[in-house]
Coordinates of all heavy atoms in Angstrom, one line a residue:
M1 N 19.1 25.6 19.2 CA 17.8 26.2 19.2 C 17.1 25.9 20.5 O 17.3 24.8 21.1 CB 17.0 25.7 18.1 CG 15.6 26.1 18.1 SD 14.5 25.3 16.8 CE 13.1 26.0 17.3
T2 N 16.4 26.9 21.1 CA 15.6 26.6 22.3 C 14.1 26.7 21.9 O 13.8 27.6 21.1 CB 15.9 27.7 23.4 OG1 17.3 27.6 23.6 CG2 15.1 27.5 24.5
C3 N 13.4 25.9 22.5 CA 12.0 25.9 22.2 C 11.2 26.2 23.4 O 11.8 25.9 24.5 CB 11.4 24.7 21.4 SG 11.4 23.2 22.6
S4 N 10.0 26.6 23.4 CA 9.2 26.9 24.7 C 8.9 25.8 25.4 O 8.6 25.7 26.6 CB 7.8 27.7 24.2 OG 7.1 26.8 23.4
H5 N 8.9 24.6 24.8 CA 8.5 23.2 25.4 C 9.6 22.9 26.5 O 9.1 22.2 27.4 CB 8.3 22.2 24.4 CG 7.4 22.6 23.3 ND1 7.8 23.0 22.1 CD2 6.0 22.6 23.4 CE1 6.6 23.4 21.4 NE2 5.6 23.1 22.2
V6 N 10.8 23.2 26.2 CA 11.9 22.8 27.1 C 11.6 23.4 28.5 O 11.8 22.9 29.5 CB 13.4 23.2 26.6 CG1 14.4 23.0 27.6 CG2 13.5 22.3 25.3
G7 N 11.3 24.7 28.5 CA 11.0 25.5 29.7 C 9.9 24.8 30.5 O 9.9 25.2 31.7
A8 N 8.9 24.2 29.9 CA 7.7 23.7 30.6 C 8.1 22.2 31.2 O 7.1 21.7 31.8 CB 6.6 23.6 29.7
L9 N 9.2 21.7 30.9 CA 9.5 20.3 31.4 C 9.8 20.2 33.0 O 10.2 21.3 33.5 CB 10.7 19.8 30.7 CG 10.7 19.5 29.2 CD1 12.1 19.1 28.5 CD2 9.7 18.5 28.9
P10 N 9.6 19.1 33.6 CA 9.9 19.1 34.9 C 11.4 19.2 35.1 O 12.2 18.8 34.2 CB 9.5 17.5 35.4 CG 8.7 17.1 34.2 CD 9.0 18.0 33.0
Q11 N 11.8 19.6 36.3 CA 13.2 19.7 36.7 C 14.0 18.4 36.4 O 15.1 18.4 35.8 CB 13.4 20.1 38.1 CG 13.1 21.6 38.2 CD 14.1 22.5 37.6 OE1 14.6 22.3 36.6 NE2 14.4 23.6 38.4
S12 N 13.5 17.3 36.8 CA 14.1 16.0 36.5 C 13.0 15.0 36.4 O 11.8 15.2 36.9 CB 15.1 15.5 37.6 OG 14.3 15.4 38.7
V13 N 13.3 13.9 35.6 CA 12.4 12.8 35.6 C 13.2 11.5 35.5 O 14.3 11.6 35.0 CB 11.6 13.0 34.3 CG1 12.4 12.9 33.0 CG2 10.5 11.9 34.1
A14 N 12.7 10.6 36.2 CA 13.5 9.2 36.3 C 13.1 8.3 35.2 O 11.9 8.4 34.7 CB 13.2 8.5 37.6
P15 N 14.0 7.6 34.5 CA 13.5 6.7 33.5 C 12.5 5.6 34.0 O 12.8 5.1 35.0 CB 14.9 6.0 32.9 CG 15.8 6.3 34.1 CD 15.4 7.5 34.7
E16 N 11.6 5.4 33.1 CA 10.6 4.3 33.6 C 11.2 2.9 33.6 O 10.9 1.9 34.3 CB 9.5 4.3 32.5 CG 8.3 3.3 32.7 CD 7.2 3.5 31.7 OE1 7.5 4.1 30.7 OE2 6.2 2.9 31.9
S17 N 12.3 2.8 32.8 CA 13.1 1.4 32.7 C 14.6 1.6 32.4 O 14.7 2.6 31.6 CB 12.4 0.5 31.7 OG 13.3 -0.6 31.5
T18 N 15.3 0.9 32.8 CA 16.7 0.9 32.4 C 17.1 -0.4 31.5 O 18.2 -0.5 31.1 CB 17.7 1.1 33.5 OG1 17.4 -0.1 34.3 CG2 17.6 2.3 34.2
E19 N 16.1 -1.2 31.3 CA 16.2 -2.4 30.6 C 16.1 -2.4 29.0 O 16.4 -3.2 28.4 CB 15.2 -3.5 31.2 CG 15.4 -3.7 32.7 CD 16.7 -4.3 33.1 OE1 17.2 -5.2 32.4 OE2 17.4 -3.7 34.0
G20 N 15.5 -1.3 28.7 CA 15.1 -1.2 27.3 C 13.8 -0.4 26.9 O 13.2 0.0 27.8
C21 N 13.4 -0.6 25.7 CA 12.2 -0.1 25.2 C 11.0 -0.7 26.0 O 10.8 -2.0 25.8 CB 11.9 -0.3 23.8 SG 10.2 0.3 23.2
V22 N 10.2 0.1 26.8 CA 9.2 -0.6 27.6 C 8.0 -1.2 26.8 O 7.6 -2.4 27.1 CB 8.6 0.6 28.5 CG1 7.3 0.0 29.2 CG2 9.5 1.2 29.4
D23 N 7.9 -0.6 25.6 CA 6.8 -1.0 24.7 C 7.2 -2.4 24.1 O 6.4 -3.5 23.9 CB 6.4 -0.1 23.7 CG 6.0 1.2 24.4 OD1 4.8 1.2 25.0 OD2 6.5 2.2 24.3
C24 N 8.4 -2.4 23.6 CA 9.0 -3.7 23.0 C 9.0 -4.8 24.1 O 8.6 -6.0 23.8 CB 10.4 -3.5 22.4 SG 10.4 -2.5 20.9
L25 N 9.4 -4.4 25.2 CA 9.6 -5.6 26.3 C 8.3 -6.1 26.7 O 8.1 -7.3 26.8 CB 10.3 -4.9 27.5 CG 11.8 -4.6 27.3 CD1 12.3 -3.8 28.5 CD2 12.7 -5.8 27.1
A26 N 7.3 -5.3 26.6 CA 5.9 -5.7 27.0 C 5.4 -6.7 25.9 O 4.5 -7.6 26.2 CB 4.9 -4.5 27.0
L27 N 5.8 -6.5 24.8 CA 5.5 -7.5 23.6 C 6.5 -8.7 23.5 O 6.3 -9.5 22.5 CB 5.5 -6.8 22.3 CG 4.6 -5.6 22.1 CD1 4.9 -4.7 20.9 CD2 3.1 -6.1 22.1
G28 N 7.5 -8.7 24.4 CA 8.5 -9.9 24.3 C 9.5 -9.6 23.3 O 10.1 -10.6 22.8
E29 N 9.6 -8.5 22.8 CA 10.5 -8.2 21.7 C 11.8 -7.4 22.3 O 11.8 -6.7 23.4 CB 9.9 -7.2 20.6 CG 8.7 -7.8 20.0 CD 8.0 -7.0 19.0 OE1 8.6 -5.8 18.8 OE2 7.0 -7.3 18.4
H30 N 13.0 -7.7 21.7 CA 14.2 -6.9 22.1 C 15.0 -6.5 20.8 O 16.2 -6.3 20.9 CB 15.0 -8.0 22.7 CG 14.5 -8.4 24.1 ND1 13.7 -9.6 24.1 CD2 14.6 -8.1 25.3 CE1 13.2 -9.8 25.4 NE2 13.9 -8.9 26.1
N31 N 14.2 -6.1 19.9 CA 14.8 -5.7 18.5 C 14.7 -4.2 18.4 O 13.8 -3.8 17.7 CB 14.1 -6.4 17.5 CG 14.8 -6.1 16.1 OD1 16.0 -5.8 16.0 ND2 14.1 -6.3 15.1
W32 N 15.4 -3.3 19.1 CA 15.5 -1.9 18.9 C 16.9 -1.5 18.6 O 17.8 -2.0 18.8 CB 14.9 -1.2 20.1 CG 15.7 -1.5 21.3 CD1 16.9 -1.0 21.8 CD2 15.1 -2.4 22.4 NE1 17.1 -1.6 23.0 CE2 16.2 -2.4 23.4 CE3 14.1 -3.2 22.5 CZ2 16.1 -3.1 24.5 CZ3 14.0 -3.9 23.7 CH2 15.0 -4.0 24.6
A33 N 17.0 -0.2 17.8 CA 18.2 0.3 17.3 C 18.8 1.2 18.4 O 19.9 1.0 18.9 CB 18.0 1.1 16.0
H34 N 18.0 2.3 18.8 CA 18.4 3.1 19.9 C 17.2 3.5 20.8 O 16.0 3.3 20.3 CB 18.8 4.4 19.2 CG 20.1 4.2 18.3 ND1 21.3 4.0 18.8 CD2 20.0 4.2 17.0 CE1 22.0 3.8 17.6 NE2 21.3 4.0 16.6
L35 N 17.5 4.0 22.0 CA 16.5 4.2 23.0 C 16.3 5.8 23.2 O 17.3 6.5 23.1 CB 16.8 3.5 24.3 CG 16.7 2.1 24.2 CD1 17.3 1.5 25.6 CD2 15.4 1.6 23.9
R36 N 15.2 6.2 23.4 CA 14.9 7.7 23.8 C 14.0 7.7 25.0 O 13.3 6.6 25.4 CB 14.0 8.2 22.7 CG 14.5 8.0 21.2 CD 15.9 8.7 21.0 NE 16.4 8.6 19.6 CZ 17.6 8.1 19.3 NH1 18.4 7.8 20.3 NH2 17.9 8.0 18.2
M37 N 14.2 8.7 25.8 CA 13.4 8.8 27.1 C 12.6 10.2 27.0 O 13.1 11.3 26.7 CB 14.3 8.9 28.3 CG 13.4 8.9 29.5 SD 14.5 9.0 31.0 CE 14.8 10.8 31.1
C38 N 11.4 10.1 27.3 CA 10.5 11.2 27.3 C 10.8 12.1 28.5 O 11.0 11.6 29.6 CB 9.0 10.7 27.5 SG 7.8 12.1 27.7
L39 N 11.0 13.4 28.3 CA 11.3 14.2 29.3 C 10.1 14.8 30.1 O 10.4 15.5 31.1 CB 12.3 15.4 28.8 CG 13.6 14.9 28.3 CD1 14.5 16.0 27.8 CD2 14.4 14.2 29.4
S40 N 9.0 14.4 29.8 CA 7.8 14.8 30.6 C 7.5 13.7 31.6 O 7.2 13.9 32.8 CB 6.6 15.0 29.7 OG 6.8 16.1 28.9
C41 N 7.6 12.4 31.2 CA 7.2 11.3 32.1 C 8.2 10.1 32.3 O 7.9 9.3 33.2 CB 5.9 10.7 31.7 SG 6.1 9.8 30.1
G42 N 9.3 10.1 31.7 CA 10.3 9.2 31.8 C 10.2 7.8 31.0 O 10.9 7.0 31.1
H43 N 9.2 7.9 30.1 CA 8.9 6.7 29.3 C 10.1 6.4 28.3 O 10.6 7.4 27.7 CB 7.6 6.8 28.5 CG 7.3 5.7 27.7 ND1 6.7 4.6 28.3 CD2 7.3 5.4 26.3 CE1 6.4 3.7 27.4 NE2 6.8 4.1 26.2
V44 N 10.6 5.2 28.4 CA 11.7 4.8 27.7 C 11.1 4.0 26.4 O 10.4 3.0 26.7 CB 12.8 4.0 28.5 CG1 13.9 3.6 27.5 CG2 13.4 4.7 29.5
A45 N 11.5 4.4 25.2 CA 10.9 3.7 24.0 C 12.0 3.8 22.9 O 13.1 4.5 23.0 CB 9.8 4.6 23.6
C46 N 11.8 2.9 21.8 CA 12.8 2.9 20.8 C 12.6 4.0 19.7 O 11.5 4.5 19.5 CB 12.7 1.4 20.1 SG 10.9 1.0 19.5
C47 N 13.6 4.3 19.0 CA 13.6 5.3 18.0 C 13.0 4.9 16.7 O 12.6 3.8 16.6 CB 15.2 5.7 17.7 SG 15.9 4.4 16.8
D48 N 12.9 5.9 15.8 CA 12.3 5.6 14.4 C 13.1 4.7 13.6 O 12.6 4.3 12.6 CB 11.9 6.9 13.8 CG 10.7 7.6 14.4 OD1 10.1 7.2 15.1 OD2 10.5 8.7 14.0
S49 N 14.3 4.4 13.9 CA 15.1 3.5 13.2 C 14.8 2.0 13.6 O 15.3 0.9 13.1 CB 16.5 3.8 13.3 OG 17.0 5.0 12.8
S50 N 14.0 1.9 14.7 CA 13.6 0.5 15.3 C 12.2 0.2 14.6 O 11.4 1.1 14.2 CB 13.5 0.7 16.7 OG 14.6 1.1 17.3
P51 N 12.0 -1.1 14.5 CA 10.8 -1.6 13.9 C 9.5 -1.0 14.6 O 8.5 -0.7 14.0 CB 10.8 -3.1 14.1 CG 12.2 -3.4 14.1 CD 12.9 -2.2 14.9
G52 N 9.5 -1.0 16.0 CA 8.3 -0.4 16.6 C 8.1 1.1 16.5 O 7.0 1.5 16.9
K53 N 9.2 1.8 16.4 CA 9.0 3.3 16.6 C 8.2 3.8 17.7 O 7.4 4.7 17.6 CB 8.4 3.8 15.1 CG 9.3 3.4 14.0 CD 8.7 3.9 12.6 CE 9.5 3.5 11.5 NZ 9.0 4.0 10.2
H54 N 8.5 3.3 18.9 CA 7.7 3.5 20.0 C 7.8 4.9 20.6 O 6.9 5.5 21.2 CB 7.9 2.5 21.0 CG 7.3 1.1 20.8 ND1 8.0 0.0 20.6 CD2 6.0 0.8 20.4 CE1 7.3 -1.0 20.2 NE2 6.1 -0.6 20.1
A55 N 9.0 5.6 20.4 CA 9.2 6.9 20.9 C 8.1 7.9 20.2 O 7.5 8.6 20.9 CB 10.6 7.4 20.8
T56 N 8.1 7.8 19.0 CA 7.2 8.6 18.2 C 5.7 8.4 18.5 O 4.9 9.1 18.6 CB 7.4 8.6 16.7 OG1 8.8 9.1 16.4 CG2 6.4 9.3 15.9
K57 N 5.4 6.9 18.7 CA 4.1 6.6 19.1 C 3.7 7.1 20.5 O 2.6 7.5 20.7 CB 3.9 5.0 19.0 CG 4.0 4.5 17.7 CD 3.9 3.0 17.6 CE 3.9 2.5 16.2 NZ 3.9 1.1 16.1
H58 N 4.8 7.3 21.4 CA 4.5 7.8 22.6 C 4.1 9.3 22.6 O 3.1 9.7 23.1 CB 5.7 7.5 23.6 CG 5.5 8.1 24.9 ND1 4.6 7.7 26.0 CD2 6.1 9.3 25.4 CE1 4.7 8.5 27.0 NE2 5.6 9.5 26.7
Y59 N 4.8 9.9 21.7 CA 4.6 11.4 21.5 C 3.1 11.5 20.9 O 2.4 12.3 21.3 CB 5.6 12.1 20.6 CG 5.0 13.4 20.0 CD1 4.9 14.5 20.8 CD2 4.6 13.5 18.7 CE1 4.3 15.6 20.4 CE2 4.1 14.6 18.2 CZ 4.0 15.7 19.1 OH 3.4 16.9 18.6
T60 N 2.8 10.7 20.0 CA 1.5 10.9 19.3 C 0.4 10.7 20.3 O -0.7 11.4 20.3 CB 1.4 9.9 18.1 OG1 2.4 10.2 17.2 CG2 0.0 9.9 17.4
A61 N 0.5 9.6 21.2 CA -0.5 9.4 22.2 C -0.6 10.2 23.4 O -1.6 10.6 23.8 CB -0.3 7.9 22.7
S62 N 0.6 10.8 23.7 CA 0.7 11.6 25.0 C 0.8 13.0 24.8 O 0.5 13.9 25.6 CB 1.9 11.1 25.8 OG 3.1 11.5 25.1
Q63 N 1.2 13.4 23.5 CA 1.6 14.8 23.2 C 2.7 15.4 24.1 O 2.8 16.6 24.2 CB 0.3 15.7 23.3 CG -0.7 15.4 22.2 CD -0.1 15.4 20.8 OE1 0.2 16.5 20.3 NE2 0.0 14.4 20.1
H64 N 3.5 14.5 24.7 CA 4.7 15.0 25.4 C 5.7 15.4 24.5 O 6.2 14.5 23.7 CB 5.2 13.9 26.3 CG 4.3 13.6 27.5 ND1 4.4 12.3 28.2 CD2 3.3 14.1 28.0 CE1 3.5 12.3 29.2 NE2 2.8 13.4 29.1
P65 N 6.1 16.7 24.4 CA 6.9 17.2 23.2 C 8.3 16.9 23.2 O 8.8 16.8 22.0 CB 6.6 18.7 23.4 CG 6.5 19.0 24.8 CD 5.7 17.7 25.3
V66 N 9.1 16.6 24.2 CA 10.5 16.5 24.2 C 11.0 15.3 24.6 O 10.6 14.8 25.8 CB 11.2 17.6 24.9 CG1 12.8 17.6 24.8 CG2 10.6 19.0 24.5
M67 N 11.9 14.6 24.0 CA 12.5 13.4 24.4 C 14.0 13.7 24.3 O 14.5 14.6 23.6 CB 12.1 12.1 23.7 CG 12.4 12.2 22.2 SD 14.0 11.6 21.9 CE 14.2 11.8 20.1
R68 N 14.8 12.8 24.9 CA 16.3 12.8 24.8 C 16.8 11.5 24.5 O 16.1 10.4 24.7 CB 17.0 13.3 26.0 CG 16.9 12.3 27.3 CD 17.9 12.8 28.3 NE 17.9 12.0 29.5 CZ 18.7 10.9 29.6 NH1 19.7 10.6 28.7 NH2 18.8 10.2 30.7
S69 N 18.0 11.4 24.0 CA 18.6 10.0 23.6 C 18.8 9.4 25.0 O 19.2 10.1 26.0 CB 19.9 10.3 23.1 OG 20.7 9.1 23.0
F70 N 18.7 8.1 25.0 CA 18.8 7.3 26.2 C 20.0 6.3 26.1 O 20.1 5.3 26.6 CB 17.5 6.6 26.6 CG 17.6 6.1 28.0 CD1 17.6 7.0 29.1 CD2 17.3 4.8 28.4 CE1 17.6 6.5 30.5 CE2 17.3 4.2 29.7 CZ 17.5 5.2 30.7
E71 N 21.0 6.9 25.2 CA 22.1 6.1 24.8 C 23.3 6.6 25.6 O 23.4 7.7 25.9 CB 22.4 6.2 23.3 CG 21.4 5.6 22.4 CD 21.3 4.1 22.6 OE1 22.3 3.4 22.6 OE2 20.2 3.6 22.5
P72 N 24.1 5.8 26.1 CA 25.3 6.1 26.8 C 26.1 7.2 26.1 O 26.4 7.1 25.0 CB 26.2 4.8 27.1 CG 25.1 3.8 26.8 CD 24.2 4.2 25.9
G73 N 26.5 8.3 26.8 CA 27.3 9.3 26.2 C 26.6 10.2 25.4 O 27.3 11.3 24.9
E74 N 25.3 10.2 25.3 CA 24.6 11.1 24.4 C 23.6 12.0 25.3 O 23.0 11.4 26.2 CB 23.7 10.4 23.3 CG 24.6 9.7 22.3 CD 23.8 9.0 21.2 OE1 22.5 9.1 21.2 OE2 24.4 8.5 20.3
D75 N 23.5 13.2 25.0 CA 22.7 14.0 25.8 C 21.8 15.0 25.0 O 21.2 16.0 25.6 CB 23.5 14.9 26.9 CG 24.4 15.8 26.3 OD1 24.5 15.9 25.0 OD2 25.1 16.6 26.9
W76 N 21.7 14.7 23.7 CA 20.8 15.7 22.9 C 19.4 15.4 23.1 O 19.0 14.3 23.6 CB 21.2 15.5 21.4 CG 21.1 14.0 20.9 CD1 22.1 13.1 20.8 CD2 19.9 13.4 20.3 NE1 21.5 12.0 20.3 CE2 20.2 12.2 20.0 CE3 18.6 13.9 20.1 CZ2 19.3 11.3 19.4 CZ3 17.7 13.0 19.6 CH2 17.9 11.8 19.1
R77 N 18.5 16.4 22.8 CA 17.1 16.4 23.0 C 16.4 16.7 21.6 O 17.0 17.4 20.9 CB 16.7 17.4 24.1 CG 17.3 17.2 25.4 CD 17.0 18.2 26.4 NE 17.5 19.6 25.9 CZ 17.3 20.6 26.6 NH1 16.8 20.7 27.8 NH2 18.0 21.7 26.1
W78 N 15.2 16.2 21.5 CA 14.4 16.4 20.3 C 13.1 16.9 20.6 O 12.4 16.2 21.5 CB 14.4 15.2 19.5 CG 13.4 15.2 18.3 CD1 12.1 14.8 18.2 CD2 13.8 15.9 17.0 NE1 11.7 15.1 16.9 CE2 12.7 15.9 16.2 CE3 14.9 16.4 16.5 CZ2 12.7 16.3 14.9 CZ3 14.8 17.0 15.2 CH2 13.7 16.9 14.4
C79 N 12.6 18.0 20.0 CA 11.3 18.4 20.2 C 10.4 17.9 19.0 O 10.8 18.4 17.9 CB 11.2 20.0 20.4 SG 9.5 20.6 20.6
Y80 N 9.4 17.2 19.3 CA 8.5 16.7 18.2 C 7.7 17.9 17.6 O 7.5 18.0 16.3 CB 7.6 15.7 18.7 CG 8.3 14.3 18.9 CD1 8.7 13.9 20.1 CD2 8.4 13.5 17.8 CE1 9.4 12.6 20.3 CE2 9.1 12.2 17.9 CZ 9.4 11.8 19.2 OH 10.1 10.5 19.4
V81 N 7.3 18.9 18.5 CA 6.4 19.9 18.0 C 7.2 20.8 17.1 O 6.8 21.2 16.0 CB 5.9 20.8 19.2 CG1 5.0 21.9 18.8 CG2 5.1 19.8 20.1
D82 N 8.5 21.2 17.5 CA 9.3 22.1 16.6 C 10.1 21.4 15.5 O 10.8 22.1 14.7 CB 10.2 23.0 17.6 CG 9.3 23.9 18.4 OD1 8.3 24.4 18.0 OD2 9.8 24.1 19.6
S83 N 10.1 20.0 15.6 CA 11.0 19.2 14.8 C 12.3 19.8 14.7 O 13.0 20.0 13.8 CB 10.5 19.2 13.3 OG 9.2 18.7 13.2
A84 N 13.0 19.9 15.9 CA 14.3 20.3 16.1 C 15.0 19.8 17.3 O 14.5 19.4 18.3 CB 14.1 21.9 16.4
V85 N 16.4 19.7 17.2 CA 17.3 19.4 18.3 C 17.3 20.5 19.3 O 17.5 21.7 18.7 CB 18.6 19.0 17.8 CG1 19.5 18.8 18.9 CG2 18.6 17.8 16.9
V86 N 16.9 20.4 20.5 CA 17.0 21.6 21.4 C 17.9 21.4 22.6 O 18.2 20.2 23.0 CB 15.5 21.8 21.9 CG1 14.7 22.3 20.7 CG2 14.9 20.5 22.6

């Protein structure tokens, strides 16, 4: 599926961190399941299987619609607005 939000993304975005979930690290925590990266700003955050659920919290606060897996070997993207893999 293609959504209109993918076309509005920047051509490229650098990850804010390669060390892990920025929000967890700021709290001194290292307990996340998987990492996601916002394709609007590069914010790296933990998934909804993690205690902090920071990727979804980032979307809620920023309204940046699309993130991608930040796990090695994965390249799928998720649009929060369309609730779909894009």
Side-chain angles (χ1 to χ4, degrees):
M1 174 180 178
T2 302
C3 72
S4 62
H5 306 100
V6 171
L9 294 172
Q11 286 286 41
S12 68
V13 62
E16 183 177 14
S17 170
T18 57
E19 301 301 314
C21 174
V22 173
D23 303 296
C24 287
L25 292 171
L27 296 170
E29 299 174 5
H30 295 85
N31 186 25
W32 54 79
H34 302 285
L35 296 173
R36 310 294 181 233
M37 186 179 84
C38 175
L39 292 178
S40 293
C41 70
H43 185 75
V44 175
C46 57
C47 70
D48 284 354
S49 295
S50 303
K53 301 180 182 182
H54 289 120
T56 296
K57 288 178 181 174
H58 176 72
Y59 163 69
T60 301
S62 68
Q63 295 300 296
H64 293 164
V66 184
M67 63 85 183
R68 74 166 177 90
S69 173
F70 199 58
E71 295 295 317
E74 295 183 359
D75 62 358
W76 57 268
R77 301 174 296 186
W78 175 259
C79 178
Y80 284 99
V81 177
D82 294 325
S83 296
V85 174
V86 293

